[in-house]
């Protein structure tokens, strides 16, 4: 009976040290790929933030410019309204005076 001998494969010039080296290189490569993916995602976040900030700045500037242009018109309209209200007040005070004078004349004529 022949005893079957199982021989371990020979690695030739590849030894355990070289295999560990390849394993470490592969692990480091995966680590760097993960770090690169993280950096890329952070860059995208920064890019998205910058785009959002740019959009906000643009919209704010547009609204500010619009408000700045309308402000003098609004002030003029307020001034006109105040002037009109002042004239209305003067007219009402004048009417009140006239009504009192008329009432006094009626009372004087009534007593005579």
């Amino acid at each position: 009976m022949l005893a079957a001998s199982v021989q371990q494969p020979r690695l030739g010039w590849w030894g355990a040290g070289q295999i560990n080296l390849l394993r470490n290189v592969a692990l480091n490569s995966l680590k760097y790929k993960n770090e690169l993916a993280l950096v890329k995602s952070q860059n995208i976040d920064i890019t998205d933030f910058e785009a959002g900030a740019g959009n906000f700045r643009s919209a704010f500037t547009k609204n500010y410019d619009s408000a700045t242009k309308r402000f003098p018109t609004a002030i003029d309209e307020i001034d006109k309204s105040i002037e009109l209200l002042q004239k209305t007040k003067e007219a009402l005070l004048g009417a009140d005076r006239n009504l009192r004078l008329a009432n006094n004349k009626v009372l004087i004529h009534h007593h005579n």
Side-chain angles (χ1 to χ4, degrees):
M1 190 160 156
L2 291 171
S5 65
V6 177
Q7 286 187 342
Q8 291 291 328
R10 294 191 59 135
L11 298 175
W13 61 275
W14 285 94
Q18 285 82 7
I19 291 176
N20 279 338
L21 178 65
L22 285 176
R23 179 184 163 276
N24 290 339
V25 168
L27 288 176
N28 284 338
S29 175
L30 180 61
K31 177 182 164 188
Y32 293 132
K33 282 183 183 178
N34 290 338
E35 287 177 4
L36 181 61
L38 177 64
V39 168
K40 283 181 180 178
S41 73
Q42 289 171 344
N43 283 341
I44 290 171
D45 290 345
I46 290 169
T47 301
D48 290 346
F49 173 79
E50 287 173 343
N55 291 340
F56 171 79
R57 189 178 314 116
S58 176
F60 182 84
T61 300
K62 180 181 175 186
N63 289 336
Y64 179 83
D65 289 344
S66 177
T68 301
K69 289 176 186 171
R70 292 181 182 171
F71 188 77
T73 303
I75 295 296
D76 288 343
E77 293 299 318
I78 290 170
D79 287 342
K80 288 177 188 175
S81 295
I82 290 171
E83 186 179 327
L84 179 62
L85 289 171
Q86 187 64 37
K87 287 179 182 178
T88 304
K89 176 183 172 183
E90 290 168 5
L92 288 172
L93 290 174
D96 181 54
R97 256 189 316 269
N98 289 336
L99 286 173
R100 262 187 283 116
L101 289 173
N103 188 44
N104 288 342
K105 286 181 183 180
V106 168
L107 291 175
I108 290 173
H109 275 304
H110 187 313
H111 288 302
N112 288 335

